[in-house]
Amino acid sequence: MQHPFPRRGLLAGLAAVPPLAALSACQVQGGADEANTDFPTRAVDFWVPFDAGGSGDLISRAVAKAAEEPLGESLPVTNKPGANGAVGLKELLAGKADGYTIALAVKSLFAIGPLIVDDPDAVVIEDLRIITTLTNEGYVLVVHADSPYQTLADLLAADQVNFGTTGVGTGSQLSAGLLFGLAQVQATDVPFDGGGPTVTALLGQDIDAASLSLAETMPHIEAGDMRPLCVFSEERSVYLNDVPTALESGHDILVDQRRFIVVPADTPDEVVGVLTLAFEEAREGSEYGQFLQDNYMERWEVDGMEAELHLAEATQQFADQIAASGVELGSAE
């Protein structure tokens, strides 16, 4: 197994990155309009490094819309899918660090990817700066409504299973991979670039099962097109009270997804301050709050230092889970 941490220690350089709360405090007195910068004077591009229709795409469009008024400029959203967000973030890092391009990022890229994907040019959190955190989302294992598998026990008793995931190195892959591996099921991982195409594949019955977020699955569960078999959270979801956790079913698997917005690490402090304030105001809006509720998403709103600490702790947690399970989660070609 590769070393469970990225090329540089995940906590290295934390002291050089001021917490968002402290950064916000120094800007709040005068507000974004009076900050020591004329940023922004034009639209700020918001890159979503996933396919349209998935959970990451949905939350990005909702928060971008909510942030346009406090920012004073438009935030056009562009999808740049690939490699669990790595493709879009590498392009972000290759551009100017002027705040006019921002991007969504996800926990799994930094806390799971290094454990599974051997990429010498991997994006590491030290190359980025977190301007705001957004959501904490759980995973649910689902099958098509017409599937012969009525329960988790039925699925794990199958001779062979093709399971879809939202990509290599994702929480979707880790949760399902650990489950089938621990249960010694002959299972084939079918990775897609995000939740949207994974959902499409399951609805088309091209795969037997998938581990996806509640935002991606609940509309289909409520419509009767998908059947949930278990959730990978510590407790049952308030939205799926009748669905057991993997823990209840005897499988020691805990996986979630966290989403946040980033810019290159050397983006000027004043620019980061303006962006942070705009998104903080956006998160307080009633329309954004209603979006989260309607899409079964929980808030994750911490400062940058706490977010980076969480990523470091999660990396160790997932490394321990993989090591204890003995399951090989190799990257797909």
Side-chain angles (χ1 to χ4, degrees):
M1 177 181 294
Q2 297 293 321
H3 192 279
F5 294 99
R7 289 175 291 130
R8 283 176 277 171
L10 196 54
L11 293 179
L14 273 182
V17 181
L20 293 188
L23 179 59
S24 299
C26 72
Q27 299 282 356
V28 165
Q29 291 182 346
D33 291 338
E34 295 181 26
N36 186 27
T37 179
D38 58 357
F39 175 88
T41 59
R42 55 182 171 85
V44 173
D45 292 321
F46 192 157
W47 290 357
V48 179
F50 302 97
D51 276 310
S55 185
D57 181 65
L58 294 175
I59 184 62
S60 297
R61 293 180 186 279
V63 77
K65 179 181 178 182
E68 286 186 338
E69 183 174 346
L71 186 63
E73 293 288 347
S74 62
L75 281 157
V77 174
T78 303
N79 296 91
K80 292 181 175 287
N84 192 29
V87 171
L89 292 183
K90 286 180 181 181
E91 187 175 345
L92 174 75
L93 291 170
K96 293 182 179 179
D98 56 7
Y100 283 102
T101 304
I102 63 177
L104 183 77
V106 293
K107 169 182 174 177
S108 56
L109 178 64
F110 305 99
I112 300 175
L115 308 175
I116 299 174
V117 181
D118 184 12
D119 181 4
D121 298 317
V123 178
V124 293
I125 198 64
E126 292 85 357
D127 290 338
L128 299 163
R129 191 162 177 179
I130 299 172
I131 61 174
T132 194
T133 54
L134 297 173
T135 58
N136 174 9
E137 300 162 55
Y139 287 99
V140 56
L141 185 73
V142 289
V143 295
H144 193 277
D146 294 334
S147 169
Y149 309 117
Q150 298 294 317
T151 66
L152 179 61
D154 291 340
L155 181 64
L156 297 182
D159 292 331
Q160 203 279 334
V161 173
N162 292 322
F163 67 98
T165 75
T166 58
V168 175
T170 63
S172 170
Q173 182 193 38
L174 178 65
S175 55
L178 284 175
L179 177 68
F180 292 120
L182 289 169
Q184 298 185 332
V185 176
Q186 277 296 113
T188 301
D189 178 351
V190 183
F192 297 89
D193 276 331
T198 311
V199 166
T200 299
L202 185 63
L203 291 175
Q205 301 187 65
D206 297 322
I207 50 178
D208 299 311
S211 178
L212 294 158
S213 75
L214 291 176
E216 292 159 343
T217 55
M218 282 301 296
H220 304 289
I221 292 171
E222 293 174 338
D225 298 323
M226 290 183 183
R227 180 184 305 120
L229 301 184
C230 76
V231 294
F232 294 101
S233 49
E234 188 168 3
E235 299 179 351
R236 292 192 180 196
S237 168
V238 295
Y239 302 107
L240 294 169
N241 279 321
D242 296 332
V243 179
T245 66
L247 290 173
E248 287 179 68
S249 303
H251 307 285
D252 187 16
I253 305 168
L254 288 172
V255 183
D256 65 23
Q257 181 67 293
R258 313 275 173 126
R259 303 185 194 276
F260 45 99
I261 301 174
V262 296
V263 291
D266 52 354
T267 303
D269 287 351
E270 311 87 69
V271 170
V272 172
V274 171
L275 289 167
T276 297
L277 285 173
F279 281 103
E280 285 180 349
E281 187 172 334
R283 294 185 317 196
E284 295 172 359
S286 58
E287 187 174 348
Y288 174 73
Q290 188 63 50
F291 167 84
L292 295 181
Q293 183 176 331
D294 291 345
N295 287 275
Y296 317 98
M297 297 179 180
E298 297 181 20
R299 291 177 182 267
W300 184 48
E301 297 175 0
V302 301
D303 66 35
M305 181 174 287
E306 187 173 343
E308 292 199 31
L309 180 60
H310 173 81
L311 294 178
E313 292 174 342
T315 304
Q316 188 61 61
Q317 172 203 330
F318 293 142
D320 291 344
Q321 283 185 285
I322 292 172
S325 71
V327 173
E328 292 291 332
L329 293 172
S331 61
E333 294 298 323

